[in-house]
Amino acid sequence: MPEAGTSLDQRESRRASIRNAKPFSSFLTDTFQRQHDYLRISITEKCNLRCLYCMPEEGVPQSPPPDLLTTPEIFLLSSTFVSQGVTKIRLTGGEPTVRRDILPLMHQIGSLRSKGLRELCLTSNGISLQRKLDSMVEAGLTGVNLSLDTLDPWQFQVMTRRKGFEAVMKSIERILEMNKFGAGIKLKINCVVMRGINDREILPFVELSREQNLEVRFIEYMPFDGNKWNKGKMLPYQEMLDIIRSKYPDLRKVQDHKNDTSKTYEIPGFVGRMGFITSMTHNFCGTCNRLRITSDGNLKVCLFGNAEVSLRDILRKSNQGNPIDERAFEALKLMEHEWGPGLVSSSDLIGGMTHEKELLDVIGLAVKGKKEKHAGIGELENMKNRPMILIGGPCHENSSHNGDGIYLEKLPGSRARAFSTSSLFAPPKLTHLTTSGTVHMVDIAEKDVTSRTAVAVCSIYFSNSEVIPLIKANQMKKGDVLGVARIAGIMAAKKTSELIPLCHPVGITSATVDLKVQEPKSVDLQKPSAQSLPGAGTDQEDSYKFHTPSGHVFPKKDQGHRYGSINITASVSCDGKTGVEMEALTACSTAALAVYDMCKAVDKRMRIENLHVVEKSGGRSGHFLESPKERGPNL
């Protein structure tokens, strides 16, 4: 039977839409078949409040402006995600309304409605929202999540460390007034409930929904860097339900939508509803459809995961690594128009970037690495993560929380050592692993700041007698082998936390790399005749006349000493709370790799061996020194 109230043309159009529907993007589908069609973008790190659960009282360090996404970059990323199936975008912060160009930005993103975007939402504290609402609605604003944790003006100042309660209430009133005239803004008021602080206000918040078409959402208090979380302050949602039922016993559950983060309830006779976001006691990871982009351009597949990958850096390859401002954006479009496809399509901006494939590959890899669900309370409170203000929106805007894919780039300050040095007598264990086997940050807050030093060694052995003379005479075509390797090792020591996924960044006070040439021992065997191998080497025409036949086989015994070696020693020091063994090992191994690179045209059978720490001092475990006998005669 035809549907009542629908014309033949409408029914045919609906059938055509179903027939022509594209499959959801594989880049945004994880291994648990969760389809991520909701993107949250932090457009600023700044905020005009200092909420207790969100930001440390002293604030947080701000990223340099060139590190933050520009408006064209936010639009390009939005376009790419919409082209892959994202239908909802939420702008967050910090506080998004403090961004000067938020209105033109929203108008640009709103233009993506013709490409498939259905919802453009905002998370705000409401302080400066009221005067921007009209233009935002014109841009396509469909929803506002407004953070308000108390209805008491004095308590507001205590919880936010700022004034502004009246401004927030004016923003709420303005939204409700605009909705009476058809604005259609879905209004949700988010309240983080903390035991002993604002739990007595649960019932007054419920009363807000008696005559107003809004949803009040009560949020379980969650741990983030700097918010001094403790389990005693966390009020489980079941206790919140009990408080509400004590006055409204007919409170009843409402059917939730598939991807809702909150458990929705209603009271008969009330116009509005209330919800509970239960991140700590009852996760909703199974239906998570959300991804986050931080204001500095990193993709987070989960709110609580401390692993991130930079989309900004890939995006900026089209502009030689520089920020894409309005002028650069217009230049790229002009270049596209004149030279053809490859940068940004002037007719269809969605997915028109040179490096779109690389961008999508990285996004897909991150999404595929998303875990099924997040850790429990005990692990979350010890996990290192950004302060909430730097993640993107108040913590009650979260979805599922999962682990950290090792393919993702680092979050500054979130590295963990693979082994603890806290006690020589404790049972051996990997302290960066939780009891369930997930990775978390080793907390070094309680460690003392001490002077720490680590020394690492390794050797690179040569397989013919021609290499050492070339190195000593500084006749390698690539230049000074020992000098380049020394610099490479020192640079690598300073970059260790960016190379090794679970290392704390440390403030290095000293880094030295010493390379000692070990002369070859006398050779008893008849030396093969040298021959020239034109064109051999590294495919860079850097071959030498000193190449030896590739079929030469050396005896195993003492073969490493027969043609000489370079012994490398790296020493690194710092004044800090964690050791520098990894920095010393990284310096030593990188110096050896530099030697290999400089010499590979002459010797393709070099071997790097015996990399290890020979000395460590500072910290709770005291001083360790390997004996010369353990180290070996060549070191």
Side-chain angles (χ1 to χ4, degrees):
M1 291 289 294
E3 298 103 322
T6 60
S7 67
L8 180 62
D9 289 343
Q10 288 175 322
R11 294 197 299 273
E12 183 57 36
S13 175
R14 187 180 304 169
R15 295 189 187 101
S17 298
I18 295 173
R19 286 195 304 269
N20 298 327
K22 297 179 181 179
F24 193 81
S25 170
S26 61
F27 294 104
L28 302 183
T29 304
D30 66 17
T31 56
F32 302 97
Q33 300 307 305
R34 292 175 294 200
Q35 297 178 342
H36 297 77
D37 58 1
Y38 179 6
L39 178 66
R40 301 172 53 85
I41 307 175
S42 170
I43 63 173
T44 181
E45 294 178 346
K46 297 179 180 179
C47 186
N48 43 15
L49 297 181
R50 294 292 183 272
C51 298
L52 297 173
Y53 54 80
C54 185
M55 188 191 296
E57 184 173 5
E58 66 275 11
V60 295
Q62 298 288 310
S63 299
D67 290 353
L68 301 176
L69 290 175
T70 65
T71 291
E73 289 168 346
I74 294 172
F75 176 60
L76 285 173
L77 287 173
S78 300
S79 302
T80 299
F81 276 91
V82 169
S83 74
Q84 297 302 309
V86 163
T87 59
K88 180 178 180 179
I89 291 178
R90 178 177 297 278
L91 302 182
T92 70
E95 168 52 39
T97 60
V98 304
R99 183 176 175 122
R100 292 181 179 179
D101 63 350
I102 184 174
L103 295 178
L105 172 61
M106 290 186 68
H107 279 270
Q108 289 186 42
I109 296 176
S111 70
L112 297 176
R113 285 176 290 181
S114 63
K115 306 297 182 181
L117 182 67
R118 297 174 188 168
E119 297 182 68
L120 176 56
C121 304
L122 187 76
T123 292
S124 173
N125 59 32
I127 294 290
S128 56
L129 177 62
Q130 179 194 5
R131 59 182 179 269
K132 297 180 173 70
L133 278 169
D134 287 4
S135 181
M136 288 180 173
V137 171
E138 292 176 2
L141 179 68
T142 60
V144 173
N145 286 10
L146 195 144
S147 305
L148 181 63
D149 303 311
T150 177
L151 298 175
D152 182 333
W154 181 85
Q155 182 74 356
F156 178 93
Q157 189 170 344
V158 171
M159 296 187 70
T160 66
R161 306 186 181 106
R162 296 291 188 275
K163 297 180 180 180
F165 177 78
E166 292 77 11
V168 177
M169 298 308 295
K170 287 180 180 179
S171 293
I172 293 175
E173 292 167 2
R174 177 59 179 157
I175 293 173
L176 294 173
E177 181 184 5
M178 294 176 73
N179 282 343
K180 292 178 181 178
F181 293 95
I185 304 172
K186 296 178 182 177
L187 176 60
K188 298 177 181 178
I189 297 177
N190 291 328
C191 174
V192 176
V193 181
M194 291 177 279
R195 190 189 303 274
I197 297 179
N198 65 339
D199 51 336
R200 67 183 182 279
E201 295 193 63
I202 291 177
L203 293 177
F205 268 104
V206 170
E207 282 294 323
L208 287 179
S209 64
R210 179 185 290 274
E211 297 180 355
Q212 304 292 349
N213 187 16
L214 53 79
E215 180 178 333
V216 177
R217 303 199 302 179
F218 298 106
I219 321 299
E220 291 179 337
Y221 180 41
M222 293 178 286
F224 288 94
D225 272 14
N227 72 353
K228 299 180 181 179
W229 186 91
N230 70 69
K231 193 173 181 179
K233 290 183 181 178
M234 198 272 291
L235 189 71
Y237 96 100
Q238 287 291 351
E239 289 190 37
M240 301 184 207
L241 279 175
D242 292 341
I243 292 172
I244 298 172
R245 283 199 173 108
S246 67
K247 182 173 182 179
Y248 305 103
D250 51 354
L251 177 72
R252 63 192 181 194
K253 184 74 176 67
V254 175
Q255 180 64 44
D256 298 316
H257 295 294
K258 176 184 177 183
N259 300 119
D260 280 349
T261 60
S262 67
K263 297 172 175 60
T264 309
Y265 287 76
E266 66 179 9
I267 299 173
F270 278 43
V271 176
R273 296 179 174 183
M274 65 214 67
F276 301 87
I277 295 182
T278 60
S279 306
M280 301 303 292
T281 60
H282 192 278
N283 71 70
F284 30 84
C285 303
T287 58
C288 176
N289 67 334
R290 293 155 177 79
L291 299 173
R292 283 176 166 78
I293 296 177
T294 62
S295 55
D296 54 355
N298 285 358
L299 176 67
K300 287 177 71 74
V301 297
C302 172
L303 177 67
F304 270 117
N306 58 14
E308 304 177 2
V309 61
S310 177
L311 304 183
R312 177 202 64 201
D313 294 346
I314 300 172
L315 199 63
R316 291 181 178 178
K317 288 183 179 181
S318 295
N319 195 37
Q320 300 179 331
N322 299 314
I324 302 175
D325 56 17
E326 294 291 346
R327 179 178 298 180
F329 186 49
E330 292 300 322
L332 291 174
K333 289 195 293 184
L334 179 61
M335 191 181 304
E336 171 70 26
H337 178 72
E338 294 178 350
W339 294 356
L343 290 176
V344 179
S345 171
S346 57
S347 61
D348 183 3
L349 288 171
I350 294 182
M353 294 167 290
T354 304
H355 302 281
E356 181 197 16
K357 184 180 185 302
E358 181 182 358
L359 190 69
L360 291 176
D361 287 342
V362 168
I363 293 170
L365 186 62
V367 172
K368 293 294 188 296
K370 189 170 182 175
K371 292 187 178 181
E372 184 177 12
K373 62 181 180 178
H374 66 74
I377 293 179
E379 296 169 26
L380 289 178
E381 62 180 302
N382 295 316
M383 181 182 291
K384 193 73 175 176
N385 201 354
R386 293 189 184 217
M388 173 47 60
I389 192 70
L390 298 182
I391 290 179
C395 57
H396 36 273
E397 287 301 321
N398 70 329
S399 65
S400 64
H401 321 310
N402 50 23
D404 325 315
I406 60 172
Y407 56 87
L408 297 178
E409 293 182 353
K410 78 179 183 85
L411 168 66
S414 66
R415 292 305 187 218
R417 290 293 187 193
F419 297 92
S420 171
T421 58
S422 59
S423 174
L424 293 176
F425 307 103
K429 68 175 183 176
L430 297 172
T431 55
H432 68 290
L433 293 180
T434 65
T435 55
S436 62
T438 57
V439 177
H440 78 104
M441 184 65 178
V442 174
D443 189 356
I444 61 173
E446 300 302 320
K447 288 190 174 184
D448 296 329
V449 174
T450 60
S451 296
R452 300 166 183 263
T453 298
V455 180
V457 299
C458 73
S459 296
I460 181 164
Y461 297 102
F462 302 109
S463 67
N464 66 60
S465 60
E466 322 303 343
V467 184
I468 293 294
L470 287 171
I471 293 175
K472 295 182 67 177
N474 198 15
Q475 292 182 359
M476 286 290 183
K477 285 191 175 181
K478 288 191 173 183
D480 179 5
V481 173
L482 303 182
V484 170
R486 184 176 295 109
I487 293 172
I490 293 172
M491 291 178 64
K494 297 187 290 184
K495 294 285 188 178
T496 300
S497 65
E498 299 179 25
L499 300 172
I500 309 300
L502 294 175
C503 275
H504 288 89
V506 295
I508 293 175
T509 56
S510 172
T512 61
V513 178
D514 180 64
L515 295 94
K516 179 181 178 183
V517 176
Q518 185 77 25
E519 295 286 351
K521 292 188 175 181
S522 60
V523 181
D524 297 330
L525 300 178
Q526 183 178 355
K527 178 182 176 183
S529 58
Q531 66 180 39
S532 176
L533 300 178
T538 63
D539 297 325
Q540 300 173 359
E541 298 183 358
D542 55 355
S543 60
Y544 290 75
K545 63 181 180 178
F546 303 106
H547 283 290
T548 56
S550 60
H552 189 96
V553 178
F554 302 101
K556 291 183 179 180
K557 183 179 180 181
D558 222 18
Q559 70 179 36
H561 304 164
R562 187 174 300 279
Y563 298 109
S565 63
I566 292 180
N567 301 326
I568 303 173
T569 303
S571 176
V572 180
S573 300
C574 81
D575 293 327
K577 295 185 176 186
T578 188
V580 286
E581 303 98 297
M582 293 304 303
E583 285 70 18
L585 289 167
T586 302
C588 201
S589 58
T590 303
L593 290 172
V595 172
Y596 188 101
D597 178 63
M598 301 283 284
C599 301
K600 65 180 184 289
V602 181
D603 187 354
K604 291 184 172 55
R605 296 191 172 203
M606 291 175 283
R607 302 187 324 279
I608 299 173
E609 296 184 0
N610 206 26
L611 174 67
H612 66 291
V613 174
V614 297
E615 184 175 2
K616 186 186 86 69
S617 64
R620 296 175 182 174
S621 60
H623 186 228
F624 158 75
L625 178 64
E626 186 180 69
S627 68
K629 183 176 181 180
E630 293 175 310
R631 190 178 304 190
N634 209 38
L635 294 171

